[in-house]
Amino acid sequence: DADVTQTPRNRITKTGKRIMLECSQTKGHDRMYWYRQDPGLGLRLIYYSFDVKDINKGEISDGYSVSRQAQAKFSLSLESAIPNQTALYFCASSGTDNTGELFFGEGSRLTVL
Amino acid sequence: SQQGEEDPQALSIQEGENATMNCSYKTSINNLQWYRQNSGRGLVHLILIRSNEREKHSGRLRVTLDTSKKSSSLLITASRAADTASYFCATLFSGNTPLVFGKGTRLSVIA
């Protein structure tokens, strides 16, 4: 089984719908992240959490919210999806060894029509 | 704004040749990491080099870091078709900040 699991892997939705992407990890990591990938733009950080009670905005948090339900679970929500949120979304986790090395899920491809 | 910038954006080589990708960044860092992404898949960590290191090797990978120029290079020797992927550099400012990724280099290795 994958260490970092994202669900759903693919989702097509319509403008204005609420969408939740879920992430869980079995690595026992305290730190979890949500990144967005668009062609030619690399990965951009949406939100990150260094422990259950810690939530921080990243570079592109507008239009998104997150919930850290437990050490192992970190979900990303789009309250009212818009077409320019069509992208590949990655969840990742890291330990507290201060290297910052990330372990990624396989991604959730979201299409907003 | 993104910290790292990879160069070139795309690279196409023949199998057996060496592939070199470069990364430049803007501020002082704790470490620099390289990741690989097969098409549409999750990123996989390749190698990490700390700010007080100048060169590291891992198998066919060689990474250099020049902190005076704020740049790093990733060399893949004797490339194989299976090396075809996108490669990203990522920089860590400090232990309590998240990694910041560049835009990546798409490597195509032609058999």
Side-chain angles (χ1 to χ4, degrees):
Chain A
D1 289 341
D3 293 323
V4 182
T5 303
Q6 294 184 230
T7 56
R9 294 292 312 281
N10 290 282
R11 180 73 182 269
I12 300 173
T13 191
K14 295 182 179 181
T15 297
K17 294 292 187 180
R18 184 178 188 274
I19 296 297
M20 179 180 287
L21 306 179
E22 298 185 343
C23 177
S24 63
Q25 50 97 2
T26 58
K27 298 191 72 67
H29 287 161
D30 286 326
R31 301 181 175 189
M32 298 187 72
Y33 312 78
W34 277 102
Y35 286 89
R36 167 179 171 159
Q37 184 176 34
D38 298 276
L41 294 180
L43 273 76
R44 293 181 292 168
L45 183 64
I46 307 173
Y47 272 95
Y48 63 103
S49 169
F50 279 1
D51 65 44
V52 174
K53 297 180 180 179
D54 176 73
I55 301 289
N56 302 283
K57 293 182 177 181
E59 181 186 355
I60 54 164
S61 59
D62 287 350
Y64 301 94
S65 63
V66 291
S67 174
R68 185 80 186 268
Q69 301 96 322
Q71 183 202 39
K73 296 183 181 297
F74 193 37
S75 61
L76 176 71
S77 294
L78 289 69
E79 296 300 326
S80 179
I82 56 177
N84 76 0
Q85 292 177 313
T86 293
L88 184 56
Y89 291 85
F90 287 103
C91 175
S93 70
S94 68
T96 53
D97 61 357
N98 288 338
T99 66
E101 179 183 342
L102 294 178
F103 296 82
F104 281 85
E106 285 297 304
S108 296
R109 185 170 296 280
L110 176 66
T111 302
V112 183
L113 302 176
Chain B
S1 63
Q2 292 181 328
Q3 172 75 304
E5 287 287 338
E6 289 93 338
D7 171 60
Q9 292 184 348
L11 179 62
S12 183
I13 60 174
Q14 296 290 325
E15 204 167 32
E17 294 180 339
N18 294 342
T20 299
M21 288 159 269
N22 302 297
C23 172
S24 60
Y25 57 92
K26 298 176 183 176
T27 63
S28 297
I29 59 172
N30 176 293
N31 69 55
L32 184 145
Q33 304 176 30
W34 286 90
Y35 287 77
R36 167 190 169 129
Q37 182 186 31
N38 289 343
S39 181
R41 305 291 299 274
L43 281 72
V44 176
H45 180 265
L46 292 177
I47 195 166
L48 178 154
I49 187 165
R50 299 182 190 279
S51 60
N52 61 354
E53 297 175 315
R54 292 297 167 259
E55 185 172 315
K56 278 189 91 167
H57 296 255
S58 177
R60 293 184 296 112
L61 304 181
R62 172 178 171 253
V63 172
T64 62
L65 180 65
D66 186 334
T67 53
S68 67
K69 295 181 179 178
K70 292 186 172 57
S71 67
S72 172
S73 67
L74 172 67
L75 169 67
I76 303 174
T77 60
S79 61
R80 307 165 181 168
D83 294 328
T84 294
S86 292
Y87 293 82
F88 294 87
C89 71
T91 50
L92 186 74
F93 174 65
S94 77
N96 288 319
T97 58
L99 275 181
V100 179
F101 286 82
K103 297 179 181 180
T105 292
R106 292 191 314 278
L107 173 64
S108 297
V109 181
I110 302 166

